[in-house]
């Protein structure tokens, strides 16, 4: 039972344009959502998070949007840079789970110069 | 800065060997986690620990055990390694709602 899904295994965008990565979840008890970025042969790096009481959180070039009614979140990167090329994972948790994270399958983003 | 270290970056073992993967964090975090990452499957939780000597099974604990004798150290043990345990193993520790990961250990079981 895949509770967090990233339906696009890969995404390719031009440098300077917007990258939009999508994530859907099925468990309505999730109340905290995170995005991680991972380069090959390295551990995931925390990027940005959002609580279910908000619908948007912004940090520099990264913005996460949460649509609770649709059980959907997205990560916007603008402008995209070649160094953003990596695998992006979304993750979700619920307060009563002791912050166990449930991860999506990941999306490989490639930003072309 | 949160620092999570893992004892090995790359490891090659033979089927049936006992394998120890070590993880150390220097931030006095109570919660620590072990995941494996496989292509197309994301990160899957193997075991986690809320405190010293405490452990909880994650989603895929079969074939693994863990040890947490000191707060800063969380060990993952493969009692008898098998080829289907070839994977990238990631350790994390938690502060507030965010988990911070180590660099990972890529394990190859022959």
């Amino acid at each position: 039972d895949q509770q967090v899904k990233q339906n696009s295994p890969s995404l390719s965008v031009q440098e300077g344009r917007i990258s939009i990565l999508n994530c859907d979840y099925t468990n309505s008890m999730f109340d905290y959502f995170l995005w991680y970025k991972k380069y090959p042969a390295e551990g995931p790096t925390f990027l940005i998070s959002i609580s279910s009481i908000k619908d948007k959180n912004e940090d520099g070039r990264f913005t996460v949007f949460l649509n609770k009614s649709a059980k959907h979140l997205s990560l916007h990167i603008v402008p995209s840079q070649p160094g953003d090329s990596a695998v992006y994972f979304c993750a979700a948790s619920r307060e009563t789970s002791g912050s166990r994270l449930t991860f999506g399958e990941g999306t490989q983003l490639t930003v072309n110069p | 800065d949160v620092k999570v270290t893992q004892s090995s970056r790359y490891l090659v073992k033979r089927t049936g060997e006992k394998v120890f993967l070590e993880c150390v964090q220097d931030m006095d975090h109570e919660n620590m986690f072990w995941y494996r990452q496989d292509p197309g499957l994301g990160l899957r939780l193997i075991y986690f620990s809320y405190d010293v000597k405490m452990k909880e099974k994650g989603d895929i604990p079969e074939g693994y055990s863990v040890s947490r004798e000191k707060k800063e150290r969380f060990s993952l043990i493969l009692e008898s390694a098998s080829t289907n345990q070839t994977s990238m193993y990631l350790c994390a520790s938690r502060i507030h709602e965010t988990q911070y990961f180590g660099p990972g250990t890529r394990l190859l079981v022959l």
Side-chain angles (χ1 to χ4, degrees), chain B residues 16-95:
Chain B
E17 278 193 76
K18 191 169 187 175
V19 182
F20 292 86
L21 302 181
E22 301 283 329
C23 176
V24 177
Q25 51 96 1
D26 66 354
M27 292 301 293
D28 203 34
H29 294 169
E30 291 180 348
N31 294 11
M32 297 185 74
F33 305 80
W34 273 106
Y35 296 87
R36 62 179 282 177
Q37 185 210 349
D38 301 288
L41 296 178
L43 278 70
R44 293 180 293 166
L45 182 63
I46 304 171
Y47 266 96
F48 60 107
S49 170
Y50 288 128
D51 205 343
V52 175
K53 297 196 185 294
M54 278 204 54
K55 60 184 179 184
E56 295 274 348
K57 291 181 180 179
D59 299 318
I60 51 164
E62 296 78 18
Y64 303 94
S65 62
V66 290
S67 172
R68 187 131 182 238
E69 296 296 319
K70 292 185 178 181
K71 195 173 191 178
E72 67 271 18
R73 189 179 299 270
F74 190 34
S75 302
L76 179 69
I77 303 154
L78 287 66
E79 295 289 342
S80 177
S82 63
T83 54
N84 63 13
Q85 292 178 310
T86 290
S87 187
M88 170 73 119
Y89 289 88
L90 294 158
C91 174
S93 70
R94 181 180 77 93
I95 180 73

Side-chain angles (χ1 to χ4, degrees), chain A residues 2 4-7 87-89 103-107, chain B residues 38 40-42:
Chain A
Q2 189 69 20
V4 178
K5 279 201 69 66
Q6 294 175 254
N7 289 312
V87 177
Y88 288 78
F89 292 99
F103 283 84
E105 305 93 326
T107 296
Chain B
D38 301 288
L41 296 178

Side-chain angles (χ1 to χ4, degrees), chain A residues 14-34:
Chain A
Q14 284 300 119
E15 182 177 4
R17 307 294 291 265
I18 185 171
S19 296
I20 301 176
L21 298 106
N22 294 303
C23 180
D24 297 295
Y25 61 96
T26 57
N27 189 339
S28 57
M29 300 297 290
F30 287 141
D31 53 17
Y32 198 77
F33 303 89
L34 307 92

Side-chain angles (χ1 to χ4, degrees), chain B residues 11-13 19 78 85-89 105-109:
Chain B
L11 217 47
V12 180
K13 296 292 181 181
V19 182
L78 287 66
Q85 292 178 310
T86 290
S87 187
M88 170 73 119
Y89 289 88
T105 297
R106 186 163 290 283
L107 172 67
L108 172 62
V109 183

